[in-house]
Amino acid sequence: MAKYYIAADGCDCKDGLTPETAWKTIDKANRTISGGDTVSFRRGDTFYGRIMPPKGPDPATPTTYTAYGEGPKPVVSQYKTALPGAWEDTGAGVWKLDLLDTAGYTGNTTEPDTNVGF
């Protein structure tokens, strides 16, 4: 069982095994961790995406999510934040945003759901 770190200024190209080599995204953790591992989010940072715990290895050794560092608790959000100019006026007071085009929003860009913040 391993302990991994995530920081808003991390890099998914690193190993995530220390605060200095922290990953950047929840998506990287979801694709990498195994049951029984610990994922530690840096305090004061905001992370976008959905936490999807792996199965196993057994109830006595669950996957754990925690925080490290100083400051306020980390924020985990599934919201998307639309960028200026991304909304398209379709007329009659109806606007649309293409969620398949991740250039139109920030935040949770790993999932094409309709959870757009406001």
Side-chain angles (χ1 to χ4, degrees):
M1 275 145 277
K3 181 169 186 175
Y4 296 101
Y5 295 86
I6 303 179
D9 62 355
C11 179
D12 288 351
C13 62
K14 297 184 179 176
D15 64 18
L17 295 173
T18 68
E20 295 76 25
T21 61
W23 293 327
K24 183 177 182 72
T25 67
I26 293 171
D27 185 53
K28 175 67 175 181
N30 288 340
R31 290 183 284 116
T32 307
I33 68 170
S34 298
D37 288 347
T38 297
V39 178
S40 191
F41 295 91
R42 187 169 66 190
R43 290 181 171 274
D45 288 350
T46 299
F47 304 93
Y48 295 93
R50 182 181 309 176
I51 295 173
M52 298 170 37
K55 294 183 179 181
D58 63 65
T61 53
T63 300
T64 304
Y65 296 88
T66 187
Y68 73 97
E70 300 293 323
K73 292 179 182 179
V75 173
V76 176
S77 173
Q78 286 189 228
Y79 277 119
K80 297 166 179 19
T81 303
L83 297 172
W87 290 100
E88 178 185 340
D89 184 356
T90 63
V94 177
W95 294 75
K96 74 176 184 177
L97 175 67
D98 181 1
L99 295 178
L100 297 177
D101 180 6
T102 58
Y105 59 90
T106 62
N108 183 5
T109 59
T110 60
E111 298 176 68
D113 61 18
T114 57
N115 199 3
V116 179
F118 48 89

